[in-house]
Every structure is written in C-alpha cells, then in structure tokens.
C-alpha cells in the first residue's frame, strides 16, 4: 500500500461512521500487538481548550528534551497533522506502511463477522503504532468524542489525565445535562493516576471529584484566582501563575491565559510522575507554542483571524476577546457550523457585534449546516448578511467589503478553517487569476 492508496482507504473508512465503545477498538489493537501498552500517556478530555492545552504540554515537554507524540483531531491544514512526534507530521512512508497493517487486521475482523473499525479507530491505532515505532517518551492524547467510550480510552498506561472546562456539547450523544456529559468526560480517569482539572461548574466538579476518589487518584485544580498580572493581546499575552511570574504565550484569545495556566498546573504535576521540567523549559515551551486555528492571525490590513468557536461557551469567550481586542473596530464574520451544535446560541452571542456576516457550509461533512439555514438564524440579529456558495467566495467578498483598519473573523467549525486560510493565501497571491484557478489552488 502506497501513500495514495492509504489515503483512499482511510477516506473510504469514513463510511463506517462514528461508533462509541471500546470492544472493536480493543480487538483491532490486540491484532496489532497492543502498541499502546508500550507507551505512556497524558490523556486530555473536556469541551473547550483540549487542543490548546495539548499544544502547550507537548511543546513544553519537547523543550524539556522528551520525545513527544501528539494525537489531535480534527486537523486543519494537513491530514498528517493529526499524528506528530516533536511537532513533525508523520511521514508518508510509515503512514502508508502502518495503514496497510491495519487494513489487514481490519479485514480479518470482518471475515470473522466483526464490525469493520471506524476511521477514527483506524487513525488512533495508526498513531499508537507510529508512536511506538518512534520510541516516544510520552504521548499527549486528545479524546475524539466524550471520553468514557471514546476510542482513545483503551489506553491503560496513563500517567496524567487533564480535563479542560466542560460545557454542553454533543447534546443527545454524550447526555442531556452537564452532569451526564461530565460523567462521559471524566470517564478517562484511570486508577492510581494524577488528575488535573480546570475550574468547573459545580455539577461537573462533583463528578470529577467523585471519580478521582473512586479511582484513588491525586487531584489538582487550576485556580483562576491565582492568575495575576495579565496583559492581553491578540498576538502576545503575559500572566503570572503558580509561582511563575511574567509567563509569555503567543496564542491569541483571552481564554488562552486560562488554558496556559491549566497547562502549567499539569506540568507541575508531571514532576510527581517522573517527568521533571525546569522553569526555563516551561517558559520557553509556553512562548514557542503555536496552535493554528485558535484565534490565529492569518492576515493583516485588514486583520484576518480564524477561530474554532463552535459551542455556546466558546462563543461567549470569543465575544469577550473581540470586545477586549477590537473596541471600535468594524467586524466582518465568515461563519460555518455543524447542525448538531447550538448554532442559534452561538449566533445570538456573537452576531450582534458584527458589521456584516457571510455564512458558509463547511465542506465534506454530513453534519454541516447549510449556509442558507445558518443565514436565517443570523438575520434575526444582523440584517446585513448573506450566504456564500463557497469558502473562497466568502473570503473574496469579506476582503472586498472590509477596510484596512477593519477585522475579518472566520469562526465556527474547525473543519473549514484550514480551507479558509488557504483561500486567503490564494486570493492575496493570485491577483487577478480566474476564479476557477483559485478554486483549484484552494482545494489542492
């Protein structure tokens, strides 16, 4: 199997959908020699901030001299982005070779009457095989959906569980109340490990405390009250926390200060499980962390930002960031969301700040909300709005409307932000190229 064949196989596996539960995943890994058992993990669940906390931790650990695997989803700019070692994407040759091994194991499962693994299960197994092959010292692992029944939860060698803020997300799949959702998110907690959690709503915190006590885990909590000396900015931010003064981060969005503080709490806890990090390594790691798609500046004059705010809490925090950074600036939105998100709440929270909104349908996903349906919700709060037929069209229109001192924000589902950034690059570099040629460059 070569790289092209592997990508076709993985794309085809999407037809098996998304299935919660660990039985099939466990069987697949057994046939592959249980690579996950030879690795050590930091396992991250929660609703908002998982990817950012993962980025901080993996970069800090890299700075400390460890070989660090990172597994993330969804990806924005490259398929291979989801599996990395020391921030370098998995190479094409091992991706193809290891996918071939997994395909053989999956075929054997089907022949015995078992269900074919889902694409997420295949990708997770691929990550485990690659991380073992690369002899990673530690793997920072992000859950896909929930926690308890997520495919990543087959791991048994977790050192540290990190739980970011939990809010209403995937309603009806993970549960209908915050407590039910928290039960799923806290399901990653394993016996005799260390748990680090963000401050949570009381119902969620009660679940985490109970679970940690049942599993005889040590529990540490980020405390917002200990944050001080905060200086916000959309490209550089500074804060003091946990005995460290004037820490610098390069990620925008006011919520990143709290994400970084949670990462600091986790780094301190890592020392107790045999992974020490010096203050200098912590500082360098935080400053060097990059996480594209989370309030990321991808253009200037006008400022063009992409952000993955896709639920009510993220929308609320995004609004605060916009009010903090861009007072008296005209804001032009490009919005695209999934239909199973609380999109009307996202619209209600964010759209009143806008000067104009362009809605898009996130491409290549059955969960995507049509641009026209999103437009109906938007027009309740902003009559100056329209639906675009493509992301490229939305980017071109926003650039035509916005002045040099204005701000363009593309936000919502993470799945369309990478294409938005590519569209922006294509428009700015291509000059008066024909639209058809631009479309080809964007999709390439």
């Amino acid at each position: 199997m070569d790289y092209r064949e592997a990508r076709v196989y993985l794309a085809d596996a999407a037809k098996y959908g998304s299935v919660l539960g660990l039985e099939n995943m466990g069987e697949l890994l057994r046939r592959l020699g249980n690579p996950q058992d030879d690795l050590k993990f930091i396992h991250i669940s929660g609703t908002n901030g998982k990817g950012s906390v993962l980025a901080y931790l993996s970069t800090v650990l890299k700075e400390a001299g460890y070989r660090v695997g990172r597994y993330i989803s969804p990806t924005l700019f490259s398929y291979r982005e989801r599996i990395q070692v020391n921030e370098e994407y998995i190479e094409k040759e091992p991706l193809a070779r290891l996918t071939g091994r997994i395909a053989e194991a999956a075929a054997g499962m089907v022949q015995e009457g078992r269900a074919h693994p889902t694409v997420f299960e295949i990708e997770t197994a691929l990550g485990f095989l690659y991380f073992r092959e690369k002899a990673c010292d530690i793997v920072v692992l992000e859950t896909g959906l929930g926690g308890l029944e997520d495919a990543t939860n087959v791991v048994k060698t977790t050192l540290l569980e990190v739980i970011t803020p939990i809010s209403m997300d995937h309603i009806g799949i993970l549960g209908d109340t915050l407590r039910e959702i928290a039960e799923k998110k806290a399901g990653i907690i394993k016996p005799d490990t260390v748990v680090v959690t963000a401050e949570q709503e009381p119902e969620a915190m009660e679940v985490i405390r109970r679970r940690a006590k049942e599993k005889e885990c040590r529990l540490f909590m980020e405390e917002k009250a200990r944050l001080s000396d905060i200086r916000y900015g959309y490209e550089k931010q500074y804060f003091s926390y946990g005995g460290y003064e004037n820490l610098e981060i390069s990620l925008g969005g006011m919520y990143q200060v709290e994400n970084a503080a949670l990462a600091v709490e986790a780094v301190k806890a890592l020392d107790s499980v045999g992974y020490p990090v010096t203050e200098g390594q912590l500082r360098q790691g935080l400053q060097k962390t990059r996480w594209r798609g989370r309030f990321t500046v991808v253009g200037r004059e006008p400022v063009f930002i992409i952000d993955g705010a896709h639920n009510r809490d993220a929308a609320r925090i995004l609004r605060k960031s916009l009010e903090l950074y861009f007072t008296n600036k005209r804001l032009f939105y490009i919005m695209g969301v999934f239909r199973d998100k609380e999109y009307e709440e996202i619209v209600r929270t964010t759209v009143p700040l806008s000067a104009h909104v362009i809605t898009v349908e996130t491409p290549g996903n059955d969960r995507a909300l049509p641009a026209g349906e999103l437009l109906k919700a938007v027009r309740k709060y902003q009559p100056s709005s329209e639906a675009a037929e493509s992301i490229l069209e939305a980017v071109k229109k926003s650039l035509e409307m916005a002045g040099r001192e204005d701000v363009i924000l593309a936000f919502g589902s993470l799945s369309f932000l990478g294409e938005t950034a590519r569209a922006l690059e294509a428009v700015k570099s291509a000059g008066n190229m024909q639209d058809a040629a631009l479309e080809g460059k964007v999709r390439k």
Side-chain angles (χ1 to χ4, degrees):
M1 183 178 285
D2 61 22
Y3 180 70
R4 185 192 64 80
E5 291 168 334
R7 288 296 307 275
V8 169
Y9 173 79
L10 289 162
D12 185 62
K15 69 186 180 185
Y16 299 109
S18 176
V19 180
L20 292 175
L22 305 181
E23 182 178 352
N24 227 40
M25 183 66 189
E27 176 62 22
L28 175 62
L29 290 170
R30 184 189 67 78
R31 292 168 184 251
L32 296 170
N34 284 318
Q36 76 282 3
D37 291 346
D38 296 323
L39 299 164
K40 302 295 184 183
F41 295 94
I42 299 173
H43 203 180
I44 304 176
S45 74
T47 302
N48 296 312
K50 295 194 299 293
S52 298
V53 173
L54 177 146
Y56 287 124
L57 287 174
S58 55
T59 305
V60 167
L61 286 166
K62 176 191 172 188
E63 285 297 303
Y66 301 105
R67 185 184 293 270
V68 186
R70 61 159 75 173
Y71 180 64
I72 62 174
S73 63
T75 57
L76 304 187
F77 297 93
S78 166
Y79 180 85
R80 294 183 293 122
E81 182 182 353
R82 68 197 62 222
I83 298 171
Q84 303 176 35
V85 173
N86 280 1
E87 301 178 17
E88 294 184 2
Y89 297 177
I90 182 173
E91 298 93 340
K92 292 182 178 180
E93 186 279 327
L95 186 149
R97 172 170 45 81
L98 296 175
T99 300
R101 280 190 61 190
I102 295 169
E104 291 178 5
M109 292 171 64
V110 172
Q111 287 175 357
E112 294 180 9
R114 296 178 180 271
H116 194 289
T118 67
V119 66
F120 185 72
E121 289 168 339
I122 293 169
E123 290 166 347
T124 303
L126 175 62
F128 292 158
L129 286 169
Y130 185 66
F131 297 143
R132 181 173 68 176
E133 190 172 279
K134 286 293 190 177
C136 289
D137 298 307
I138 195 164
V139 174
V140 191
L141 183 67
E142 179 184 354
T143 59
L145 178 61
L148 180 64
E149 298 176 297
D150 184 73
T152 62
N153 206 31
V154 294
V155 300
K156 300 176 182 176
T157 53
T158 310
L159 298 171
L160 193 74
E161 292 95 5
V162 180
I163 304 177
T164 67
I166 297 171
S167 63
M168 300 299 290
D169 193 28
H170 297 291
I171 298 168
I173 300 174
L174 299 181
D176 297 317
T177 67
L178 187 61
R179 184 182 301 276
E180 291 172 346
I181 293 171
E183 291 282 0
K184 297 294 194 301
K185 304 282 188 180
I188 67 168
I189 297 174
K190 303 295 188 301
D192 195 29
T193 55
V194 178
V195 181
V196 180
T197 181
E199 282 191 12
Q200 306 284 355
E201 294 295 328
E203 307 99 294
M205 195 67 232
E206 180 184 344
V207 170
I208 294 168
R209 289 187 187 278
R210 173 173 50 77
R211 178 84 179 185
K213 184 177 180 180
E214 290 171 353
K215 299 296 182 179
E216 298 183 344
C217 300
R218 288 172 290 164
L219 178 63
F220 298 86
M221 186 175 75
E222 170 203 11
E223 299 178 49
K224 296 177 185 178
R226 295 166 60 198
L227 275 166
S228 62
D229 305 320
I230 300 173
R231 285 176 285 159
Y232 292 112
Y234 62 87
E235 294 188 272
K236 294 284 185 183
Q237 307 192 93
Y238 302 86
F239 67 99
S240 298
Y241 181 81
Y244 301 109
E245 296 183 357
N246 202 38
L247 296 169
E248 177 186 335
I249 57 175
S250 301
L251 302 187
M254 61 184 301
Y255 53 87
Q256 287 297 354
V257 171
E258 293 178 9
N259 288 338
L262 178 59
V264 170
E265 201 68 58
V267 168
K268 292 169 70 175
L270 280 170
D271 185 67
S272 68
V273 293
Y275 289 80
V277 174
T278 68
E279 179 176 341
Q281 291 163 346
L282 172 65
R283 289 182 178 277
Q284 285 295 311
L286 292 177
Q287 193 279 325
K288 291 181 178 180
T289 298
R290 301 293 184 269
W291 193 233
R292 294 186 296 175
R294 284 69 176 180
F295 213 89
T296 304
V297 177
V298 293
R300 292 176 175 79
E301 295 184 348
V303 171
F304 197 121
I305 291 171
I306 56 176
D307 185 77
H310 62 277
N311 56 48
R312 68 164 69 186
D313 278 9
R316 176 180 52 80
I317 297 169
L318 173 61
R319 175 174 178 138
K320 288 184 178 181
S321 295
L322 293 172
E323 290 173 330
L324 176 68
Y325 299 139
F326 301 121
T327 304
N328 300 323
K329 297 281 188 179
R330 290 200 306 165
L331 303 176
F332 293 83
Y333 290 172
I334 301 173
M335 292 184 66
V337 297
F338 288 164
R339 64 172 67 251
D340 60 352
K341 298 295 182 179
E342 298 173 292
Y343 65 89
E344 292 189 352
E345 186 67 20
I346 297 170
V347 166
R348 187 191 67 80
T349 301
T350 59
V351 166
L353 296 183
S354 67
H356 186 79
V357 180
I358 302 174
T359 63
V360 298
E361 180 174 338
T362 59
N365 197 303
D366 293 339
R367 294 165 56 202
L369 182 72
E373 288 189 37
L374 180 57
L375 180 63
K376 291 177 184 177
V378 166
R379 282 187 168 162
K380 296 176 184 177
Y381 303 93
Q382 178 52 277
S384 180
S385 53
E386 61 187 296
E389 293 186 0
S390 70
I391 291 171
L392 176 62
E393 179 188 340
V395 169
K396 290 180 66 178
K397 283 188 174 182
S398 67
L399 289 171
E400 290 168 0
M401 298 178 70
R404 292 166 64 90
E405 299 301 316
D406 297 330
V407 177
I408 300 171
L409 173 69
F411 73 101
S413 167
L414 285 165
S415 64
F416 86 99
L417 299 184
E419 185 165 328
T420 302
R422 288 189 291 271
L424 176 64
E425 181 182 350
V427 171
K428 289 196 168 185
S429 64
N432 60 359
M433 288 175 59
Q434 292 183 351
D435 286 358
L438 279 177
E439 285 282 5
K441 189 169 184 179
V442 170
R443 294 282 184 179
K444 187 174 180 180

